[in-house]
Amino acid sequence: MTRETIFNVVLALFLLALPFAAMAMGEPFYVSLATRMAILALAAVGLNLALGFGGLVSFGHAAFFGIGGYAAGILASHAFNAEPLLFAIPGSDQMPVIWIVAALAAGFAAFLIGAVSLRTSGVYFIMITLAFAQMFYYFAISWPAYGGEDGLSITMRNGFPGLNTAVPVTFFLICYALLMAALLLLWRIRDSRFGAALQAARQNEVRVAAIGIAPYRIRLFAFVLSGMITGVAGALFADLNRFVSPSMMSWHMSGELIVLIILGGAGRLFGPVAGAILFVLLEFLLGGITERWQLFLGLILLGVVLFARGGLIGLVAGKPRHG
Amino acid sequence: MAEPILDIRNLTKSFGALKATDDVSIDLRDGEIHALIGPNGAGKTTLMHQISGSLKPGSGQIRFLGEDIGHLGVAERARRGLGRTFQISSLTPEFSALRNVMLAVQARQGSSFRFFREVMSDTSLTEPAMAALERVGLADRARIPAAELSHGERRQLEIAIALALGSRAFLLDEPMAGMGQEGSRALTSFLDRLRGEAPILLVEHDMDAVFALADRVSVLVYGRVIASGRVEEIRNDPAVRTAYLGEPA
């Protein structure tokens, strides 16, 4: 086993143990902290596929996160009020249904955004993804049917067949299981033919085209899948807070996801997990000391970018190995 | 006579007032090495870019295996069997030599939309890739990241990639550039054998290699073909001697 694998296992076990330790200490609040870590990690796992593996610095993933959140909020509110959506489709308060809708809606948005923005690269790509996300953000603000600027409450956390999702640890385990499933998927993809083409296109687009693989299609597919994963995370986030608002789509959120990945290690399988754990811990610990905790986050980020380019994973496990 | 593998007719490309390619017509026939020589700035690399598709032609026609490919993109031309190497090595630096070649094997097999099978344990990728590396003499460096290979080794790797693509014609842009004498000699004898597999359009500054290898030579000056013919004809052509070989007529 490589050092990276060992560290990955440690991270996975740490996150899993956290809520149980919290319960044992009689601090149930920490359970929701761990759940937050798992959900942000899942959102960042999605972004990592595009940003880390594909080198596509999307500054618009908050759009997918928010779309997932609104999918949960809108379906739940229709189910609660027993009002059908368009074309007499009923709402739903079942998580599996919500996740599928969230993934499809976010994937569709990612397809539209990606189809346009992947024709550009570099700074233009960053700016176009940002611009699209802001369009979704302002659309959510100006849509009174679902709360507009005030957001939309979810009266009761959505259910999962056979489980009581109102129990914090149960909900944590659902989020954790989805996180692990996404990591498993990304692990397979990373080492697959698709992953090889995607990572090669990041390293040298000209070369990839010269051997007969069109980078655009590879990237678009990665971008859509990336958006879908982040969308599911958004649905979970809405269920965690039992609330969804346009702020989930703001550029701060996009930035936060990028920061998570850089902290943890871009392009490393568990980079988003390490980043999310670190980020939520810092937010909690520093946030308890000062309201200006983001100043210190900024300093830490500066340190990582200057001295530890591979993020936390890079620091522990060294450079990535590509076989 | 059979139709040429690659047939370029009246190709023209202008950058503003500068004619980088001026009414160029050349062809490449089965089993031959056709060398393209000319002074720096003559438009040799521009022509290679146009043939491989990374530059859109101004006007003219490019036929490959009997079909007009002038409207196709780089990736599609490569899929049809145009294998090119770059004047400046262009590889995926983080990947090992083996994985660089495996990517070409994967491209040749045609499917990059496979998500689950691990490539390193897929012998349908690793074996042909290893075979290509062996042919260029890089087998013992297979696991080294491309970024850590020496200059000469990267040139060899470029050729291994072109081999693995199973190309029907090779476009080699200065494969000898920056190689030591030993390396050039080895590569010369390798290219000599390679022409039996697929014809080579060779841009090269190393005149020893050109005269040793080429069946035909075309001389490009200011984007124009000023002479084209067998090696002896070119060597004795007064216009070529003045324009390129630097001798008074």
Side-chain angles (χ1 to χ4, degrees):
Chain A
M1 265 206 297
T2 63
R3 268 168 83 151
E4 185 168 348
T5 314
I6 295 168
F7 189 55
N8 291 350
V9 172
V10 169
L11 284 172
L13 291 179
F14 173 81
L15 185 55
L16 181 61
L18 210 54
F20 295 100
M23 294 303 284
M25 289 189 315
E27 297 274 9
F29 167 71
Y30 294 156
V31 178
S32 84
L33 216 58
T35 312
R36 204 174 132 76
M37 285 174 185
I39 294 172
L40 286 179
L42 179 63
V45 165
L47 178 58
N48 198 28
L49 176 61
L51 189 152
F53 295 168
L56 309 168
V57 184
S58 163
F59 203 178
H61 261 53
F64 313 133
F65 196 61
I67 286 169
Y70 273 97
I74 291 171
L75 286 173
S77 80
H78 280 276
F80 186 75
N81 299 324
E83 287 169 352
L85 285 136
L86 286 174
F87 311 120
I89 302 168
S92 174
D93 55 6
Q94 289 301 306
M95 284 186 185
V97 177
I98 287 169
W99 295 340
I100 291 168
V101 173
L104 291 178
F108 183 62
F111 176 76
L112 295 179
I113 294 177
V116 175
S117 49
L118 285 170
R119 295 185 189 279
T120 67
S121 61
V123 175
Y124 298 100
F125 180 78
I126 298 175
M127 287 298 131
I128 289 182
T129 49
L130 170 64
F132 272 116
Q134 289 300 93
M135 281 163 57
F136 280 98
Y137 171 70
Y138 285 111
F139 180 72
I141 282 187
S142 56
W143 198 15
Y146 296 111
E149 207 167 354
D150 298 331
L152 182 63
S153 286
I154 298 173
T155 318
M156 271 170 51
R157 184 172 287 158
N158 294 299
F160 190 96
L163 297 173
N164 181 2
T165 55
V167 179
V169 173
T170 307
F171 183 59
F172 167 82
L173 287 174
I174 290 173
C175 298
Y176 186 82
L178 279 181
L179 173 63
M180 289 301 137
L183 286 167
L184 188 70
L185 181 70
L186 249 73
W187 172 57
R188 295 315 300 163
I189 286 180
R190 183 192 64 184
D191 297 336
S192 72
R193 291 184 183 215
F194 180 80
L198 181 64
Q199 293 170 78
R202 165 173 57 79
Q203 295 171 48
N204 188 343
E205 184 177 0
V206 175
R207 163 50 75 193
V208 170
I211 59 172
I213 299 174
Y216 179 78
R217 287 171 55 207
I218 300 280
R219 286 174 172 159
L220 184 57
F221 191 90
F223 196 73
V224 169
L225 193 58
S226 162
M228 291 172 88
I229 295 172
T230 304
V232 172
L236 292 174
F237 197 68
D239 258 328
L240 171 66
N241 303 321
R242 287 195 284 113
F243 178 65
V244 49
S245 78
S247 72
M248 269 179 81
M249 292 186 174
S250 79
W251 64 271
H252 297 96
M253 190 67 225
S254 295
E256 211 169 289
L257 292 178
I258 294 177
V259 167
L260 288 188
I261 288 182
I262 293 172
L263 277 180
R268 309 304 280 265
L269 189 59
F270 269 66
V273 182
I277 291 175
L278 206 60
F279 184 88
V280 175
L281 274 182
L282 286 173
E283 184 183 43
F284 176 68
L285 296 174
L286 294 174
I289 301 166
T290 165
E291 252 173 53
R292 295 180 182 76
W293 71 277
Q294 293 194 326
L295 171 67
F296 297 97
L297 176 70
L299 288 175
I300 290 171
L301 194 63
L302 204 62
V304 167
V305 172
L306 286 176
F307 304 113
R309 291 297 280 274
L312 191 60
I313 304 264
L315 211 57
V316 173
K319 280 189 161 189
R321 291 155 50 94
H322 285 290
Chain B
M1 199 171 193
E3 191 178 3
I5 303 279
L6 181 66
D7 193 8
I8 291 149
R9 290 274 158 258
N10 310 106
L11 206 61
T12 298
K13 176 81 191 177
S14 306
F15 297 107
L18 176 75
K19 279 196 167 166
T21 310
D22 189 357
D23 199 24
V24 169
S25 297
I26 54 174
D27 61 17
L28 187 61
R29 295 174 185 282
D30 208 8
E32 75 167 349
I33 293 181
H34 188 155
L36 199 59
I37 63 172
N40 284 325
K44 302 183 297 289
T45 296
T46 302
L47 183 58
M48 290 300 235
H49 281 314
Q50 278 178 272
I51 299 172
S52 66
S54 48
L55 264 180
K56 292 267 165 280
S59 65
Q61 207 185 30
I62 305 171
R63 294 178 68 80
F64 179 55
L65 301 171
E67 281 178 72
D68 188 356
I69 58 164
H71 58 285
L72 302 175
V74 180
E76 182 56 34
R77 291 186 200 193
R79 266 198 293 277
R80 290 183 182 214
L82 264 181
R84 76 171 298 192
T85 66
F86 293 85
Q87 186 177 4
I88 296 159
S89 294
S90 180
L91 302 159
T92 49
E94 293 167 25
F95 281 174
S96 64
L98 182 64
R99 288 205 66 174
N100 267 277
V101 186
M102 281 165 64
L103 199 64
V105 178
Q106 170 181 330
R108 180 187 188 178
Q109 291 177 359
S111 180
S112 289
F113 282 91
R114 290 194 206 161
F115 302 95
F116 297 107
R117 176 138 190 220
E118 200 200 350
V119 285
M120 292 311 289
S121 63
D122 185 346
T123 49
S124 72
L125 291 176
T126 52
E127 277 172 9
M130 215 50 213
L133 283 174
E134 260 160 37
R135 286 191 60 192
V136 300
L138 264 186
D140 53 336
R141 305 283 281 165
R143 295 295 177 142
I144 310 290
E148 291 168 26
L149 294 175
S150 74
H151 178 83
E153 288 169 336
R154 280 185 229 171
R155 310 296 311 176
Q156 286 166 280
L157 181 52
E158 287 246 349
I159 298 204
I161 290 170
L163 282 178
L165 282 173
S167 301
R168 302 290 306 277
F170 294 109
L171 308 172
L172 306 186
D173 198 353
E174 297 198 32
M176 316 272 178
M179 277 195 148
Q181 231 175 14
E182 185 105 357
S184 295
R185 244 198 311 265
L187 188 55
T188 303
S189 72
F190 178 74
L191 293 182
D192 194 20
R193 278 173 279 134
L194 185 61
R195 86 178 93 192
E197 217 161 295
I200 303 170
L201 186 62
L202 176 73
V203 168
E204 189 49 67
H205 272 301
D206 181 337
M207 284 305 132
D208 292 340
V210 167
F211 289 134
L213 283 171
D215 299 288
R216 285 191 293 158
V217 179
S218 291
V219 185
L220 205 63
V221 177
Y222 296 123
R224 210 172 239 293
V225 177
I226 61 162
S228 185
R230 311 200 73 78
V231 172
E232 327 63 86
E233 293 164 24
I234 294 300
R235 233 201 273 254
N236 300 321
D237 188 307
V240 175
R241 299 183 79 97
T242 326
Y244 184 49
L245 298 175
E247 295 169 29

